[in-house]
């Protein structure tokens, strides 16, 4: 079977929801996924499953106060070049530069939205290996230890590995 694919300019939209923090509202934790797929990729596993997990986390966490701001993001156009997340990061950098040029900017006091990001949970490829619980942590040893501790406290058997994705 021959499949032809072409790329043409189009618009895609990230979907962002936010749960404001009650104690440290200027510290942002991102919980993200992507909602697109591509030819030859199992869209249910990559990444409808991750988006479903993210939406369920948003639903559950919405009824509880959060110390830090939690930003839920469903990125678009990830399978064709990480376009949604790249746009988000570039937009933060542009805002960062604009904010630092303001006459009211005090470097020792003020922080930009970009600087307020503390942690990102990227939920990707869920359901691909049914019956296998694994987490890939792209972070330092403290992040890895925290994930292992959380799994142990919750009684979840999970394989925690580190490395780039």
């Amino acid at each position: 079977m021959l499949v032809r694919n072409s790329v043409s300019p189009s618009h895609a939209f990230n979907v962002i929801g936010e749960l404001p923090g009650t104690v440290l509202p200027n510290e942002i934790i991102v919980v993200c996924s992507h909602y697109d797929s591509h030819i030859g990729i199992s869209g249910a596993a990559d990444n409808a499953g991750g988006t479903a997990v993210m939406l369920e986390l948003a639903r559950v966490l919405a009824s509880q106060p959060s110390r830090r701001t939690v930003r839920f993001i469903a990125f678009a156009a990830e399978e064709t070049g990480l376009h949604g997340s790249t746009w988000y990061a570039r937009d933060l950098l542009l805002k960062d530069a604009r904010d630092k040029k303001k006459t009211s900017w005090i470097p020792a006091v003020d922080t930009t939205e970009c600087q307020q990001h503390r942690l990102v949970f990227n939920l990707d490829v869920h359901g691909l290996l049914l019956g296998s619980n694994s987490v890939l942590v792209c972070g330092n040893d403290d992040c890895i230890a925290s994930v292992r501790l959380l799994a142990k406290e919750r009684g979840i058997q999970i394989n925690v590995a580190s490395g780039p994705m």
Side-chain angles (χ1 to χ4, degrees):
M1 173 169 78
L2 176 64
V3 176
R4 294 184 190 273
N5 190 15
S6 62
V7 177
S8 58
S10 62
H11 295 281
F13 298 94
N14 294 333
V15 180
I16 301 173
E18 191 167 281
L19 176 62
T22 57
V23 178
L24 301 166
N26 290 334
E27 292 191 7
I28 300 169
I29 296 171
V30 173
V31 179
C32 61
S33 64
H34 66 92
Y35 67 91
D36 66 317
S37 192
H38 199 271
I39 295 171
I41 297 172
S42 172
D46 189 9
N47 190 35
T51 302
V53 170
M54 183 198 67
L55 290 170
E56 180 62 6
L57 283 170
R59 185 190 70 77
V60 170
L61 295 176
S63 63
Q64 305 173 33
S66 173
R67 290 173 48 89
R68 290 171 177 81
T69 296
V70 182
R71 187 171 289 170
F72 300 93
I73 308 173
F75 289 116
E78 292 296 282
E79 294 295 354
T80 57
L82 305 176
H83 298 292
S85 57
T86 299
W87 181 90
Y88 180 78
R90 283 186 184 150
D91 187 56
L92 284 175
L93 289 174
L94 290 171
K95 288 178 186 175
D96 184 87
R98 281 194 308 267
D99 288 346
K100 288 178 178 176
K101 289 180 182 176
K102 292 179 181 174
T103 56
S104 61
W105 174 259
I106 304 171
V109 177
D110 296 326
T111 59
T112 64
E113 183 180 352
C114 185
Q115 293 170 321
Q116 294 170 358
H117 282 66
R118 296 290 183 258
L119 184 64
V120 175
F121 289 100
N122 181 27
L123 305 168
D124 200 1
V125 190
H126 289 78
L128 188 61
L129 301 171
L130 294 175
S132 170
N133 285 335
S134 62
V135 173
L136 179 61
V137 178
C138 305
N140 63 27
D141 291 341
D142 289 342
C143 289
I144 297 164
S146 295
V147 171
R148 286 188 174 128
L149 179 62
L150 179 62
K152 183 178 179 180
E153 286 177 350
R154 298 292 182 190
I156 301 169
Q157 288 292 108
I158 196 163
N159 176 36
V160 181
S162 67
M165 181 170 184

